[in-house]
Amino acid sequence: MALYVYLHFPALQCDSLTEAGQQAVPLAVVDAQHSIIQLNEQAAAQGVQLRMGLATAAALCHNLQLIPYQEQQQQALLMAIAQQLYQLSGEIAPDPPAGLYLRGCSMLQLYHGLDGYQTALLGGLKRLPYRYAYASAATPFAAKCLALQQFNQLTADHAVTDKALKCSPLSFTELETEMQQQLQRLGIDTLGRLLALSAAELARRFDHRLISYLGRLRGEFFHALDYIRPEPGFSRYLELLYDISDVAVLSVPLQKLLQQLEQQLERNNALCHQLTLHLYSRDSATKSYSIGSAQGEYRAVNWLRLCQLQLESSQLTAPVYGLQLEVTQFAPQQAQSDDLFAPQQGNISALQLVSLLQARLGRGAISGLSLQNQHLPEHASGRPLPLLPTRPQAGALLQRPAFLLPQPRRLHEAVEISSGPERLCADGWQLAAQRDYFIGRNQQGQWLWLYRTAQQQWFVHGLFS
Amino acid sequence: MSAILAQLARRQLLWHGNSQQAAYQAVATGYSELDLQLAGGFPASGLIDIQTELGIGELRLLLPYLQQQHSRGRLLVLISPPAEPCADMLAAAGISLSQLVIITPKTSKEALWATEQCLQSGCCAVVLLWQPQLKLALARRLQLAAEQGAASLVLLRRPAAGLSLPVNLSLELTPHRQGLQLRVHKRKGGWPTADFVLDMQKHWPALYLPPASTALPQRKAG
């Protein structure tokens, strides 16, 4: 027995801009014909209605914020919802501009019946900021017709849906306005009356589109739906209500995006090591930040902290009107194993600490130290990335100073030599470049690592600290 | 009488002058004379203030302590070292280089921020900070962070007169031909002692000058 669910989102673009817990302003989305097609509750409370002209709306509500309708953004939002719901329901087909078809019959066994499916689905929708209407029926078009009327119940009992369907006005169907008017002139104003007529008679007066629609509505014709496939990674764009030039204020919308990322990562049981944040501004070029976490994170709180540190270190030059968060690769989550007998004191690990420091101080400021198999002192110490596991090296050379000067400096003071010489030569054929190293102590009591060149010049190369 | 005393002692209302409790958990310094002077060694956590000139042996004094402290897999962090640290010397002293992190911040404000983060994190054993001066309030803050993360902060700075910082141990080092001359300015749970000389010949035979300086001809650089 087939069961399709239709979800209708009446105000996607409008709802995407409102934030929970924030003092909301009346918002409305207007199309190219200056008629209002989406509005929020605050606008509705002031008397603004759908399909109202711009002038009437502005007269009713003086502080109404108007946003132009953007088809691309609407579609992106719809696809984002579909991707999120994919974790709950397997077969989802988008119905632009504002709806989703869900094939429910294949999911009933997983959720032990319709009640479980309904709980899971509505629970998932509750986490999203969008208002919605839903309905279920035996065919996709029937479900859509009922959802548009805000039927708002999922039932496997087809008698209930058929009854509701028969009373539905023609304006909720997929038929063109012309055809609806034609039918109304014949006295057919509900779907029930239309369905009562025989198909052969209708075919004589109307074209194939009506027959095809009614056939799919009844379930006699096959209705092909284009089901989505899950996309790898995460990419969300958020347009801001007003331009932001302060990093502290920017963290509020950023947190919203990161929470969506957290939800997706949590569902996939994954984490990510790197995310890219694009900040769009009107006057200057788009700024991109890549924020990394060596350990890999999924929690929004930790990512927000890293993002804030990185943003604080670089000044925002121009106000930002939109931000986009992108993650290309997810990594599987792995449990950390801690020492049972020496429990960790703090709440972050070494890798997390390194990511934190890198975010604020820059990548170049943090490094590890490695011992290279080189006898020349300036090549013996490598500065790799921090916390890289190094294999145990062949023995370290003894009698090396704690600190090497970046540039050897000329010796200008009296020193007492305590040991030496140790001759080091860069290459066998460059005998002129050989150096004789000594350890000496100057008058201030500092222990210096000195060398004498073949030309009998003395240099200080290091400090025994 | 003794029953009352015992009862008071049990409720920790009575303080015995002769039962000196260590104010901190001590870790052996690797130099037996120093352990004796410091009643056990360096503190395992908290602030250690070392006033020293650069290059007289301050790091060699600390190496055995650093090696012990970070041997349990926690990190050793060097913040704004005065020059390039040399891997050979640290590896020869038994410090595992994969657990060493070097931070070179641009400003001293960033250095202090990094210090606090490292101390708080709980994954660092010792943080070495080269910083010219430290304000009292900041020292207190770092001390709290160190307690939170059970880490120790070794602050290496030039000798400077000023207010005493809230630290567990404050030492002043002056160079000496046989090693170092130490003065304990402050030790939590103990009295300052007289200056003493720490002979480092046994540990660092190459960095040693015999007491009679006239025996060896002095070499002068040209």
Side-chain angles (χ1 to χ4, degrees):
Chain A
M1 186 179 67
L3 181 78
Y4 287 88
V5 179
Y6 189 86
L7 298 172
H8 176 63
F9 302 94
L12 263 185
Q13 201 185 333
C14 189
D15 290 343
S16 74
L17 291 169
T18 47
E19 285 152 33
Q22 205 191 8
Q23 180 80 43
V25 286
L27 270 179
V29 176
V30 283
D31 64 2
Q33 281 78 45
H34 300 296
S35 119
I36 287 170
I37 53 168
Q38 293 179 15
L39 50 89
N40 70 353
E41 283 161 10
Q42 280 74 22
Q46 303 225 24
V48 184
Q49 283 167 8
L50 288 178
R51 281 175 288 280
M52 194 177 247
L54 208 52
T56 325
L60 278 168
C61 176
H62 66 95
N63 57 348
L64 186 67
Q65 303 280 319
L66 294 169
I67 298 146
Y69 176 68
Q70 283 164 327
E71 198 181 340
Q72 251 187 339
Q73 204 195 333
Q74 174 96 3
Q75 187 129 14
L77 286 169
L78 189 66
M79 286 311 289
I81 298 174
Q83 292 289 343
Q84 294 206 24
L85 290 181
Y86 181 77
Q87 302 296 330
L88 302 171
S89 189
E91 287 159 300
I92 299 179
D95 179 33
L100 292 176
Y101 292 112
L102 278 69
R103 189 156 174 256
C105 40
S106 54
M107 285 290 125
L108 294 182
Q109 198 169 8
L110 175 67
Y111 289 105
H112 304 295
L114 196 60
D115 287 341
Y117 184 55
Q118 181 167 8
T119 318
L121 197 61
L122 298 187
L125 284 167
K126 198 179 258 181
R127 272 183 279 164
L128 303 173
Y130 313 107
R131 282 170 284 163
Y132 58 91
Y134 61 96
S136 73
T139 62
F141 274 151
K144 181 175 181 179
C145 178
L146 291 177
L148 291 178
Q149 299 173 67
Q150 304 188 345
F151 187 59
N152 288 0
Q153 77 190 68
L154 294 190
T155 169
D157 185 3
H158 289 327
V160 179
T161 50
D162 283 348
K163 197 179 157 212
L165 208 58
K166 279 189 178 136
C167 314
S168 18
L170 290 181
S171 56
F172 293 109
T173 62
E174 296 291 286
L175 301 173
E176 282 92 8
T177 343
E178 264 178 58
M179 200 178 285
Q180 286 178 24
Q181 283 169 355
Q182 247 178 325
L183 288 166
Q184 260 159 4
R185 269 183 238 126
L186 290 171
I188 302 167
D189 51 358
T190 63
L191 209 49
R193 289 201 177 177
L194 187 59
L195 288 169
L197 299 173
S198 80
E201 278 178 41
L202 280 171
R204 214 176 303 150
R205 276 191 84 149
F206 295 96
D207 62 2
H208 70 281
R209 282 172 296 176
L210 179 64
I211 304 302
S212 143
Y213 173 74
L214 288 178
R216 284 191 279 177
L217 185 72
R218 284 202 189 98
E220 288 161 359
F221 296 173
F222 175 67
H223 188 170
L225 292 172
D226 190 11
Y227 295 117
I228 58 153
R229 287 161 181 273
E231 283 167 15
F234 175 91
S235 175
R236 288 291 147 78
Y237 172 78
L238 183 71
E239 180 138 339
L240 301 170
L241 262 183
Y242 39 84
D243 291 8
I244 292 179
S245 53
D246 187 22
V247 174
V249 184
L250 197 63
S251 66
V252 179
L254 182 59
Q255 190 177 16
K256 224 164 87 173
L257 282 179
L258 288 170
Q259 266 161 1
Q260 290 179 15
L261 173 67
E262 177 182 327
Q263 283 169 13
Q264 183 164 346
L265 286 170
E266 211 174 4
R267 279 194 303 263
N268 293 12
N269 198 22
L271 37 81
C272 57
H273 289 277
Q274 181 114 19
L275 48 88
T276 317
L277 179 67
H278 302 285
L279 301 182
Y280 297 94
S281 51
R282 286 179 216 284
D283 309 326
S284 59
T286 304
K287 269 195 170 183
S288 297
Y289 299 88
S290 105
I291 298 134
S293 160
Q295 185 176 297
E297 292 286 354
Y298 72 94
R299 287 192 196 96
V301 187
N302 296 351
W303 272 121
L304 184 66
R305 188 150 180 237
L306 291 172
C307 292
Q308 276 173 334
L309 286 172
Q310 181 125 10
L311 290 174
E312 270 165 19
S313 57
S314 67
Q315 291 291 316
L316 286 182
T317 46
V320 174
Y321 71 85
L323 38 122
Q324 181 161 20
L325 191 66
E326 268 179 21
V327 180
T328 46
Q329 246 184 342
F330 289 175
Q333 226 175 59
Q334 281 162 348
Q336 298 264 319
S337 53
D338 289 334
D339 197 334
L340 181 65
F341 297 105
Q344 233 184 4
Q345 296 287 340
N347 40 13
I348 64 172
S349 72
L351 285 169
Q352 281 174 316
L353 174 69
V354 167
S355 314
L356 204 66
L357 294 169
Q358 278 175 338
R360 165 86 185 254
L361 308 174
R363 266 159 206 277
I366 324 288
S367 69
L369 191 65
S370 73
L371 185 59
Q372 308 291 325
N373 203 1
Q374 297 274 351
H375 65 274
L376 276 188
E378 50 267 51
H379 300 147
S381 303
R383 295 287 284 271
L385 287 172
L387 305 179
L388 284 183
T390 48
R391 55 182 189 282
Q393 291 277 349
L397 294 169
L398 290 168
Q399 294 184 19
R400 284 286 179 270
F403 297 113
L404 277 186
L405 300 180
Q407 286 293 321
R409 63 160 198 256
R410 292 291 285 267
L411 180 69
H412 290 300
E413 56 193 333
V415 289
E416 280 179 78
I417 301 295
S418 76
S419 83
E422 176 189 356
R423 179 161 291 180
L424 294 179
C425 190
D427 297 301
W429 60 90
Q430 286 182 313
L431 287 179
Q434 74 184 22
R435 304 178 208 152
D436 292 339
Y437 276 90
F438 297 88
I439 298 171
R441 182 176 186 266
N442 69 5
Q443 296 297 312
Q444 289 85 47
Q446 287 179 311
W447 288 94
L448 308 174
W449 203 42
L450 313 156
Y451 69 82
R452 186 182 60 193
T453 58
Q455 293 81 35
Q456 300 296 313
Q457 286 174 318
W458 286 79
F459 289 90
V460 182
H461 199 184
L463 282 167
F464 284 90
S465 190
Chain B
M1 177 68 183
S2 66
I4 297 170
L5 278 182
Q7 197 184 353
L8 286 174
R10 199 167 55 241
R11 292 172 64 188
Q12 296 189 340
L13 294 172
L14 201 68
W15 182 76
H16 281 281
N18 61 353
S19 68
Q20 276 201 348
Q21 281 194 337
Y24 52 76
Q25 198 195 340
V27 174
T29 58
Y31 300 90
S32 48
E33 316 99 285
L34 189 59
D35 288 349
L36 218 63
Q37 293 280 352
L38 295 179
F42 289 134
S45 66
L47 249 71
I48 303 173
D49 172 33
I50 294 185
Q51 299 181 19
T52 173
E53 291 294 336
L54 181 63
I56 59 171
E58 69 278 11
L59 207 60
R60 281 180 288 140
L61 179 76
L62 292 168
L63 276 177
Y65 169 72
L66 299 181
Q67 195 267 328
Q68 282 180 59
Q69 282 286 84
H70 97 306
S71 60
R72 270 172 295 163
R74 295 209 291 163
L75 301 182
L76 171 64
V77 185
L78 310 182
I79 298 178
S80 50
E84 296 284 314
C86 181
D88 274 300
M89 190 252 199
L90 293 167
I95 286 170
S96 87
L97 296 179
S98 58
Q99 291 164 29
L100 183 78
V101 177
I102 300 168
I103 305 175
T104 43
K106 288 181 200 75
T107 62
S108 91
K109 199 176 160 193
E110 282 184 345
L112 289 169
W113 177 84
T115 312
E116 193 180 8
Q117 294 298 321
C118 290
L119 289 174
Q120 266 176 355
S121 71
C123 51
C124 301
V126 188
V127 178
L128 268 81
L129 172 68
W130 280 266
Q131 177 89 0
Q133 282 307 326
L134 197 62
K135 283 193 182 127
L136 195 71
L138 279 172
R140 181 80 201 129
R141 195 167 154 174
L142 292 178
Q143 170 87 15
L144 286 175
E147 278 169 18
Q148 194 186 338
S152 66
L153 169 68
V154 181
L155 176 69
L156 292 144
R157 56 176 183 147
R158 287 259 158 85
L163 282 173
S164 141
L165 295 177
V167 295
N168 282 347
L169 179 67
S170 174
L171 292 176
E172 186 176 340
L173 312 183
T174 39
H176 192 271
R177 294 183 69 82
Q178 275 86 48
L180 284 169
Q181 186 172 353
L182 279 87
R183 171 183 292 174
V184 180
H185 278 302
K186 178 177 174 181
R187 182 164 69 80
K188 214 171 176 181
W191 300 104
T193 51
D195 297 8
F196 60 97
V197 173
L198 184 67
D199 195 339
M200 293 166 96
Q201 184 197 0
K202 204 171 70 191
H203 296 82
W204 300 92
L207 304 177
Y208 179 77
L209 291 170
S213 58
T214 44
L216 264 182
Q218 287 202 358
R219 301 194 83 136
K220 191 160 186 340

